[in-house]
Amino acid sequence: GGMKTLRIDFVSDVVCPWCAIGLAALEQALQRTQGEVGAEIHFQPFELNPHLPAEGEGIGEHLQRKYGMDQAQLADNQERIRARGAALGFVFDFNARSRIWNTFDAHRLLHWAGIEGGQRALKHALLQAYFSEGRNVSDRATLVDIAGAAGFDVARAQAILGSGEYADEVREAEQFFTRNGISGVPAVIIERKHLVSGGQPVEVFERALREIAAGIPA
């Protein structure tokens, strides 16, 4: 009996559509297990494209280069993502979003948010800014604006982005998860040992939460 609280490390990137889907599904699973299973979610960094230049890259050319997708496959893929998002209440606007960006600075801010508390609010704000509004999440002024709107100290966010603060911590965390076999995201690691990979349906997350909680003595 009683409420079990699980540690969840949510390894993801803010420009990864399946990460937005996975997070929405995990959160809905947590709503379904309310009162029985709770979670303390730690957002961990993963960069899909660590070597992207400052100006980013067009989505079409990027997916073609990286996955060999042609226009028809791209449209098909986007429709599948849009529909999955819509079913979970998350808006993907593929007209607004034309480029893919380097996310290292976004991960530095998320690391800071993890220390301050309120990391989930910033993660949601970043996903929404990118996927729903098509904003440039590598632009520092944009990042400061997103952080401010999510309730964070704007001057402090500016200072972090203008310096190299938390760069080492982010790299260390990234290396830790890649070294431990995480090569695709989202990777949802529960209690540091159970892995749920990809943007799974709500039911899959719910079952994992319940089963893992059942195996943990109260």
Side-chain angles (χ1 to χ4, degrees), residues 139-217:
D139 177 72
R140 290 185 173 173
T142 303
L143 286 171
V144 167
D145 192 41
I146 293 166
F152 289 89
D153 181 327
V154 167
R156 183 75 182 94
Q158 239 155 356
I160 290 165
L161 292 173
S163 71
E165 224 175 329
Y166 302 126
D168 293 346
E169 288 85 338
V170 169
R171 282 205 187 88
E172 233 164 86
E174 287 178 336
Q175 286 160 6
F176 173 82
F177 289 100
T178 34
R179 236 195 350 264
N180 282 283
I182 302 299
S183 59
V185 289
V188 185
I189 304 162
I190 307 175
E191 287 291 306
R192 293 199 164 98
K193 55 179 182 287
H194 307 273
L195 172 67
V196 181
S197 274
Q200 298 292 341
V202 178
E203 293 70 27
V204 172
F205 284 114
E206 185 186 0
R207 191 165 58 238
L209 292 168
R210 288 187 192 283
E211 283 174 6
I212 293 160
I216 293 171

Side-chain angles (χ1 to χ4, degrees), residues 2-91:
M3 169 91 162
K4 305 275 179 72
T5 301
L6 305 176
R7 179 193 167 100
I8 297 183
D9 287 288
F10 192 96
V11 187
S12 63
D13 199 354
V14 295
V15 292
C16 154
W18 292 103
C19 295
I21 286 169
L23 180 57
L26 171 63
E27 289 180 331
Q28 289 186 21
L30 284 163
Q31 278 166 359
R32 292 185 185 182
T33 62
Q34 229 167 3
E36 304 158 64
V37 186
E40 193 186 278
I41 303 178
H42 299 268
F43 291 97
Q44 303 289 1
F46 187 95
E47 286 177 90
L48 289 171
N49 309 287
H51 306 301
L52 270 186
E55 70 278 9
E57 191 178 14
I59 292 278
E61 52 192 296
H62 174 78
L63 292 174
Q64 218 163 357
R65 184 176 59 76
K66 199 168 177 183
Y67 304 108
M69 274 190 196
D70 62 27
Q71 280 313 114
Q73 287 169 312
L74 180 66
D76 187 50
N77 188 44
Q78 290 186 341
E79 181 46 40
R80 200 165 63 241
I81 288 168
R82 195 201 57 71
R84 272 296 297 281
L88 291 160
F90 187 89
V91 177

